[in-house]
Amino acid sequence: MNSLKAQAVLALCVFMLLVVGGSSFFYFLFAVDYYIEQKKETMEESYWQLQSVDLSQEALEEDEVIQALEDESFSVIICDENMQAVYASKVSGRNNLIQTYIAGHTEDYTVYAHAVYERDIARKPIVLKGLIRQENRNYYVYLYENTTVIRRSVTYVNEFLRGVVVIAMLLGIVFAWVLSKAIVGPVERIRSITGKIAEGDYSARLEKPMPNKELEELRQSINRMTDRIQNDISDLNNYNYLLLNKNHSISQFEEHRRQFIRNVTHELKTPLAIISSQVEMMEIEGDKADREAYCASILEEVNKLSKMVSSLLKDSFTESPVANPQMVRGSLSELMKELMPKYEVWMRTNHFCWQSEIQNGCMAVFDKMEIELAANNYIMNAGWHTPKGGQIRASLKKENGGIRFSVYNEGEPIAQADKEKIWDCFYQGQEKKTENAEVGLGLYIVKNIVSRHQGLCGMENLPDGVKFWFWLPEA
């Protein structure tokens, strides 16, 4: 019962039960009473209208008020004070009825008559006994309606409504299920996608439009949020890469510093010891010392010491490469086949025409993590600079004794002044920055990685777009 769909179905079924069942229940309890009250009001209104009719006229049945009484299915008897029938409808034996219901009961007839429901009589009729005075004559009006038919009809209707309630509930359950599925279905889709995003799958997107405005805005917000997270993660990976290299460089520099101190300490001990001994001998021998020979020896050792210091400094401060990555011979084809599908949903969501062509058998010596990072930077860079609906194509193939990976994107060409600078750290070019634009590290990272793999990288402007590539030696 914790399911949103089950709760929606239950709520709709309860609502239908209350509406349909409640209506039937109220009809069963109050239909007869409502009918009687309405007939009583109609009978009294007809009686007051009847007072405006000239009851002495002939062809009384043609009068509009009399016809209205007939239309209401009332039984009508009108007689004068001599008990002579003036008008009678729908009855036979009018004289007997006058004797039975009017003669001998004239005291019950009043000018201000009201309709009465006589529950204690077999047919439970509605009766009005009125007195109309016209031109010094009294007319007795007896209006009557039998309620047996309506009570029987209500009984039949109640039996029918019980069947209607059952059928309505069965159809209502089906309707509630379909309706709840239409309402809850989009929520389930959102829950499923956000669950994938929470587990780290940032390629997940809500692609199908939602049926209403609020959910559609939520879908677009989730997609924008996921795009932003994916871009931020890409930048974070670039920063992490630089930070790792920087930390390694700092660690390596510290090791060189220690080694330099050890080398200086070791290498300088001998010349200093010789110089010290020469000076000591000059002090001991005094005037007898061969000062010229000692001075020549000291100068020789000083020259050696100077050359040694220069050599040590040169060796210590020569820029040394960063430690080699984890190079392993493997298939670049398999790596790219695993990598390319990750971008398909992102490309479709951003309305790019995405294609990839991977040639089999492309073998090289490479670090999987670094080459994947380089390819990711090319692809994400293409996405940031491609208009909606534009084309992005990635390819991997053998070329010139090596393996060439390239990413083409449809868009504006790169200015001539920027062609060399785009490979510098934090350089973004002069074009207008977009909301999700990179921070200028991606191409710098690619150049660094490819250089460490003894490869080449570059770009070229095409008539309708730009292509970035890198080349690695085949193994």
Side-chain angles (χ1 to χ4, degrees):
M1 193 57 66
N2 291 331
S3 169
L4 183 60
K5 185 180 293 184
Q7 292 179 359
V9 170
L10 180 61
L12 286 171
C13 289
V14 170
F15 175 76
M16 293 186 65
L17 180 61
L18 291 176
V19 173
V20 179
S23 300
S24 301
F25 181 73
F26 277 97
Y27 182 85
F28 175 76
L29 290 180
F30 304 112
V32 174
D33 292 338
Y34 177 78
Y35 175 82
I36 290 172
E37 291 300 320
Q38 291 298 314
K39 281 295 183 180
K40 287 168 65 176
E41 291 181 7
T42 303
M43 190 175 286
E44 291 174 358
E45 290 176 2
S46 300
Y47 168 70
W48 290 111
Q49 291 175 1
L50 192 60
Q51 294 187 25
S52 63
V53 177
D54 183 4
L55 299 179
S56 63
Q57 64 178 320
E58 296 182 359
L60 191 60
E61 63 275 3
E62 297 179 0
D63 189 89
E64 293 181 357
V65 176
I66 298 298
Q67 290 179 359
L69 288 170
E70 294 286 353
D71 293 340
E72 288 291 338
S73 70
F74 293 144
S75 297
V76 183
I77 301 175
I78 303 174
C79 68
D80 58 15
E81 54 192 9
N82 297 322
M83 301 299 146
Q84 296 298 315
V86 175
Y87 177 81
S89 65
K90 301 180 182 179
V91 293
S92 58
R94 63 179 66 180
N95 293 326
N96 292 331
L97 292 175
I98 292 173
Q99 294 298 320
T100 302
Y101 294 108
I102 300 177
H105 302 283
T106 55
E107 69 278 1
D108 296 331
Y109 289 76
T110 62
V111 174
Y112 300 101
H114 295 283
V116 178
Y117 175 51
E118 298 181 343
R119 296 176 180 272
D120 54 341
I121 298 178
R123 295 186 177 182
K124 301 183 183 300
I126 302 172
V127 178
L128 185 143
K129 300 176 180 179
L131 177 62
I132 298 176
R133 292 189 176 94
Q134 292 182 353
E135 298 179 357
N136 297 322
R137 296 184 64 183
N138 292 330
Y139 293 93
Y140 297 94
V141 179
Y142 181 79
L143 301 180
Y144 170 93
E145 182 173 5
N146 183 7
T147 62
T148 301
V149 176
I150 184 59
R151 286 186 285 108
R152 188 180 297 115
S153 298
V154 169
T155 302
Y156 293 152
V157 171
N158 284 331
E159 293 177 356
F160 174 76
L161 286 177
R162 281 195 291 268
V164 170
V165 169
V166 174
I167 295 174
M169 287 305 301
L170 293 177
L171 295 177
I173 292 174
V174 175
F175 172 75
W177 179 262
V178 174
L179 182 61
S180 64
K181 186 176 181 180
I183 296 175
V184 179
V187 179
E188 289 291 335
R189 285 168 50 200
I190 293 174
R191 183 198 60 78
S192 176
I193 292 298
T194 52
K196 291 181 180 179
I197 295 173
E199 293 174 359
D201 182 7
Y202 299 111
S203 65
R205 295 294 187 279
L206 287 162
E207 299 185 55
K208 295 182 180 179
M210 293 296 174
N212 53 64
K213 178 182 178 182
E214 290 77 8
L215 290 179
E216 175 62 18
E217 290 178 351
L218 177 60
R219 180 188 75 87
Q220 295 175 2
S221 297
I222 291 175
N223 286 342
R224 286 197 301 270
M225 176 192 69
T226 311
D227 285 342
R228 191 62 179 267
I229 291 175
Q230 192 172 31
N231 292 338
D232 290 345
I233 288 177
S234 178
D235 288 340
L236 182 61
N237 288 336
N238 290 335
Y239 279 119
N240 286 339
Y241 177 83
L242 290 178
L243 184 60
L244 287 173
N245 284 346
K246 187 66 176 179
N247 288 340
H248 184 81
S249 298
I250 293 174
S251 175
Q252 193 175 48
F253 175 80
E254 183 65 20
E255 179 60 29
H256 275 276
R257 186 185 65 81
R258 295 193 188 98
Q259 185 64 35
F260 173 74
I261 293 174
R262 288 194 295 266
N263 291 342
V264 168
T265 303
H266 180 268
E267 297 296 334
L268 295 184
K269 286 173 65 177
T270 300
L272 288 175
I274 294 175
I275 293 173
S276 177
S277 64
Q278 297 290 349
V279 172
E280 186 178 352
M281 290 299 298
M282 290 174 65
E283 290 180 353
I284 294 174
E285 294 181 1
D287 294 337
K288 298 179 180 180
D290 188 354
R291 295 181 180 277
E292 186 177 350
Y294 285 132
C295 286
S297 177
I298 291 172
L299 288 174
E300 182 181 355
E301 294 302 322
V302 169
N303 289 332
K304 289 181 180 179
L305 186 61
S306 177
K307 292 180 180 180
M308 189 180 301
V309 170
S310 298
S311 177
L312 289 172
L313 288 173
K314 180 179 180 181
D315 292 341
S316 175
F317 290 101
T318 298
E319 183 178 1
S320 58
V322 183
N324 290 331
Q326 300 297 320
M327 298 291 194
V328 178
R329 185 178 184 273
S331 173
L332 277 174
S333 301
E334 296 300 324
L335 175 62
M336 293 303 173
K337 287 179 180 179
E338 294 177 3
L339 185 61
M340 293 301 107
K342 297 181 180 179
Y343 298 97
E344 291 180 358
V345 174
W346 181 71
M347 294 291 179
R348 287 200 305 270
T349 303
N350 288 277
H351 308 289
F352 298 139
C353 297
W354 164 251
Q355 295 178 345
S356 61
E357 182 180 356
I358 309 300
Q359 181 178 350
N360 294 324
C362 296
M363 304 296 293
V365 176
F366 60 93
D367 182 291
K368 178 180 179 181
M369 183 186 70
E370 291 195 349
I371 294 301
E372 183 174 334
L373 180 59
N376 175 78
N377 281 330
Y378 269 177
I379 295 172
M380 297 302 290
N381 183 71
W384 289 323
H385 296 87
T386 302
K388 295 295 183 182
Q391 292 188 356
I392 299 177
R393 295 193 298 268
S395 67
L396 179 75
K397 60 182 178 180
K398 297 179 182 180
E399 186 176 291
N400 298 329
I403 312 298
R404 178 184 171 103
F405 176 77
S406 63
V407 177
Y408 161 83
N409 69 278
E410 187 176 3
E412 296 292 331
I414 295 177
Q416 187 66 31
D418 292 332
K419 283 187 175 181
E420 295 299 327
K421 297 179 181 179
I422 57 175
W423 304 100
D424 296 340
C425 186
F426 296 107
Y427 185 78
Q428 293 182 280
Q430 301 303 318
E431 72 275 8
K432 182 180 178 181
K433 307 299 188 294
T434 61
E435 179 184 357
N436 295 322
E438 59 175 331
V439 296
L441 287 174
L443 298 180
Y444 171 76
I445 295 293
V446 173
K447 182 179 179 181
N448 192 8
I449 290 174
V450 173
S451 176
R452 289 155 61 94
H453 284 73
Q454 308 301 316
L456 301 173
C457 61
M459 60 76 55
E460 52 188 291
N461 286 325
L462 299 179
D464 56 349
V466 180
K467 179 186 287 187
F468 283 85
W469 57 269
F470 65 75
W471 179 92
L472 300 180
E474 186 176 10

